[in-house]
Amino acid sequence: MTHPAQPKASHFINGQYVEDTGGAEIPVIYAATGERIATVHAATPAIVEQALASAKAAQKEWAKMTGTERGRILRRAADIIRDRNHELSVLETYDTGKPLQETLVADATSGADALEYFGGLAASLTGEHIPMGEDWVYTVREPLGVCVGIGAWNYPTQIACWKGAPALACGNAMVFKPSETTPLCALKVAEILVEAGLPAGLYNVIQGMGEVGGALVSDPRVDKVSLTGSVPTGKKVYAAAAADMKHVTMELGGKSPMIVFEDADIDNAVGGAINGNFYSSGQVCSNGTRVFVHKDIKEKFLTRLAERTANAKLGDPMDENVNFGPMVTENQMNIVLGYIEKGKAEGARLVCGGQRADMDGYFIEPTIFADVKDEMVIAREEIFGPVMAVLDFEDEDEVIARANDTEFGLSAGVFTKDLSRAHRVIGALEAGSCFINSYNDAPVEAPFGGVKASGVGRENSKEAIQHYSQVKSVYVRMGDVEAAF
Ligand code: NAD
């Protein structure tokens, strides 16, 4: 019998599901059991062509609609997503292995927030009037044209919506390529957008590995590329986009610092460290994986952290009491286990976890290392799994310098009761998305994105509008034109 997660076809183009079995088979494996639950095919050149041609053909008419009309469709899609939250959350769990307890509140709901927010903003996207004496300049906020979205595997519904919603609100068309690891959820987003009234061709989903992404990025019909992925992929995609001067948004990896000062509320700081390392089993780009704890409270912090981490409940992700799921793939599990072995070999103190869980699926126990030193591999490289590195510090200037000593700059957090110190330290940290006495909140109203190697551009908030539109300025002369000859 066909598994309920099996989509009707691999791709969604021009308002309908499309299949081309000529493309390489991509198995979809449920991470909690290792079982194959669905199969899709990578896009062939003919599929890539169909997707881009339909996006190009549909975009101009979409841009001519009023913002109110465009916004209404996006908001209707948000409502449909909320109505079907349970069904979509189950699919997200099949796609990623993340526990239903999480997906019910963090994935389809976050996608719906983006559609609602940008749907609401669509009608307010206007230009300016700039008086120049009796002349004037007016500006027009125009769409970019055809946008390509390329997703990572950790938040397949959210990423599909975070890119699609602002692109469509601004009058663009989108071709979205999900990660080959999690190809299912974006198809549902496309289907729901069409059900909400989106004209055909404006939001197409095609499957494939990096090659398909590469074919999209280098196509001359594409005006903008938004990637969520790793830094090495980001560098390749950015370079390919630069060849034609395409716009880019790059949401890449991180190794973010979370700093806990001696006056912090210990339980809140522990909660922040748990959210910033173990949510989605640590597969979150903005995670605060270098937890700098002031030496005076280090042992107290570690004791409380270990006590609370013992409450992680691993198991069937569809059981809503389970709060900790598997790694997305066997390969990712092995990468993370490799880092854990490096941590042990480099002499970090294992506080808890440190191995594969004794159960089916790709589960790793939530792992905490203490006495981690800045130069250790587990303190320098993005692990993308449930591995927390706790480092000691003594003074503010020292910890700021150490926190900034990384190529990454996605997020940063500070826990302290001292208001001036909180703002001073956050001001000095090189990161795009920061937190004071909290960690990993990502509401659609707030800009999200990194500095340094962690990316360029911002998703969410009004900032995202800048990255999916451009400004035309028009000088209007009322009098005669003066010329030298
Ligand atoms: P990845 O870089 O391996 O792949 C990301 C996407 O890029 C996939 O869809 C892949 O098929 C595609 N791709 C690969 N090579 C390509 C190429 N040459 N041209 C075009 N597309 C190409 O990343 P991943 O393993 O799927 O995801 C994990 C990474 O994503 C981590 O580094 C994580 O930090 C990052 N991430 C960042 C954010 C953020 O918002 N900053 C969010 C989630 C994940």
Side-chain angles (χ1 to χ4, degrees):
M1 209 184 77
T2 313
H3 192 279
Q6 174 65 46
K8 283 184 206 150
S10 299
H11 318 288
F12 194 95
I13 301 173
N14 212 19
Q16 55 195 352
Y17 278 97
V18 177
E19 190 55 271
D20 180 350
T21 51
E25 234 182 54
I26 303 177
V28 185
I29 308 293
Y30 183 36
T33 59
E35 145 204 32
R36 184 197 276 227
I37 54 170
T39 303
V40 296
H41 292 269
T44 55
I47 289 288
V48 173
E49 177 54 35
Q50 274 183 46
L52 287 170
S54 73
K56 185 81 188 163
Q59 188 266 327
K60 289 263 181 318
E61 286 305 309
W62 175 243
K64 280 188 201 152
M65 283 168 67
T66 67
T68 306
E69 289 166 328
R70 287 199 302 270
R72 192 178 301 133
I73 292 170
L74 300 188
R75 284 182 286 113
R76 215 180 280 140
D79 290 345
I80 299 173
I81 289 181
R82 288 212 177 84
D83 286 348
R84 298 201 197 139
N85 182 41
H86 194 274
E87 173 203 330
L88 296 170
S89 302
V90 167
L91 187 67
E92 174 94 19
T93 292
Y94 277 131
D95 221 2
T96 60
K98 293 186 292 182
L100 194 58
Q101 191 191 85
E102 273 188 25
T103 56
L104 281 170
V105 296
D107 292 285
T109 50
S110 160
D113 284 355
L115 289 160
E116 185 175 6
Y117 178 86
F118 288 106
L121 223 51
S124 68
L125 305 178
T126 57
E128 273 188 295
H129 172 268
I130 304 162
M132 302 290 299
E134 64 173 19
D135 297 345
W136 71 89
V137 173
Y138 68 91
T139 65
V140 187
R141 187 154 288 282
E142 295 185 333
L144 300 175
V146 175
C147 302
V148 160
I150 300 177
W153 42 256
N154 55 346
Y155 283 83
T157 307
Q158 184 186 80
I159 294 171
C161 294
W162 280 18
K163 298 190 189 307
L168 293 170
C170 292
N172 302 286
M174 173 154 277
V175 177
F176 185 79
K177 189 199 84 65
S179 163
E180 57 273 30
T181 307
T182 52
L184 306 178
C185 295
L187 290 168
K188 279 284 164 200
V189 172
E191 196 185 311
I192 287 170
L193 280 164
V194 166
E195 192 180 330
L198 188 72
L202 290 165
Y203 189 90
N204 304 297
V205 174
I206 65 169
Q207 310 294 347
M209 326 286 186
E211 285 156 42
V212 172
L216 291 172
V217 173
S218 58
D219 191 282
R221 283 165 291 189
V222 172
D223 301 286
K224 194 234 154 87
V225 180
S226 176
L227 169 80
T228 298
S230 61
V231 172
T233 304
K235 287 181 179 169
K236 281 188 223 155
V237 172
Y238 202 167
D244 294 322
M245 215 60 83
K246 290 175 174 133
H247 297 248
V248 294
T249 299
M250 294 282 146
E251 292 293 351
L252 310 176
K255 189 75 191 176
S256 302
M258 192 187 119
I259 303 174
V260 184
F261 283 97
E262 64 280 12
D263 64 341
D265 179 296
I266 297 274
D267 255 303
N268 284 335
V270 165
I274 289 172
N275 288 342
N277 281 271
F278 298 143
Y279 201 71
S280 301
S281 302
Q283 303 166 116
V284 180
C285 51
S286 49
N287 273 354
T289 45
R290 289 183 296 146
V291 182
F292 291 93
V293 182
H294 193 275
K295 69 170 183 18
D296 290 354
I297 55 160
K298 170 186 154 187
E299 290 309 327
K300 203 167 148 195
F301 177 89
L302 285 172
T303 305
R304 193 66 191 116
L305 180 63
E307 276 167 17
R308 286 181 56 180
T309 301
N311 295 327
K313 192 166 173 355
L314 286 65
D316 176 3
M318 294 297 174
D319 172 352
E320 284 182 46
N321 295 311
V322 165
N323 56 25
F324 193 88
M327 296 290 93
V328 72
T329 57
E330 187 172 16
N331 183 41
Q332 184 65 14
M333 176 185 72
N334 288 330
I335 291 171
V336 175
L337 288 173
Y339 276 110
I340 291 175
E341 290 315 311
K342 279 188 195 135
K344 291 175 186 167
E346 287 182 311
R349 165 162 59 113
L350 189 63
V351 176
C352 62
Q355 59 190 358
R356 185 174 181 178
D358 184 18
M359 57 205 296
D360 284 346
Y362 312 131
F363 289 85
I364 296 179
E365 294 172 351
T367 297
I368 299 166
F369 281 110
D371 303 337
V372 176
K373 302 285 176 270
D374 294 351
E375 60 283 2
M376 291 181 181
V377 173
I378 56 166
R380 305 216 63 83
E381 295 182 13
E382 184 183 47
I383 298 176
F384 225 59
V387 183
M388 186 191 308
V390 179
L391 305 96
D392 312 349
F393 77 95
E394 285 188 43
D395 113 341
E396 187 180 307
D397 288 342
E398 165 219 332
V399 78
I400 290 170
R402 291 169 60 200
N404 285 338
D405 180 20
T406 166
E407 62 165 323
F408 300 109
L410 186 48
S411 291
V414 174
F415 279 81
T416 176
K417 293 201 186 94
D418 179 339
L419 203 62
S420 331
R421 174 156 66 185
H423 293 288
R424 187 171 62 236
V425 173
I426 280 293
L429 290 173
E430 296 162 0
S433 303
C434 297
F435 310 92
I436 293 177
N437 293 326
S438 189
Y439 206 89
N440 259 356
D441 314 76
V444 67
E445 295 87 347
F448 181 82
V451 303
K452 294 158 74 178
S454 290
V456 292
R458 292 292 177 270
E459 296 200 297
N460 287 343
S461 80
K462 285 179 262 181
E463 284 291 317
I465 298 299
Q466 318 297 328
H467 302 290
Y468 283 101
S469 61
Q470 57 197 344
V471 170
K472 174 182 277 173
S473 91
V474 183
Y475 191 102
V476 181
R477 182 174 298 282
M478 296 300 284
D480 295 331
V481 175
E482 280 181 32
F485 52 87

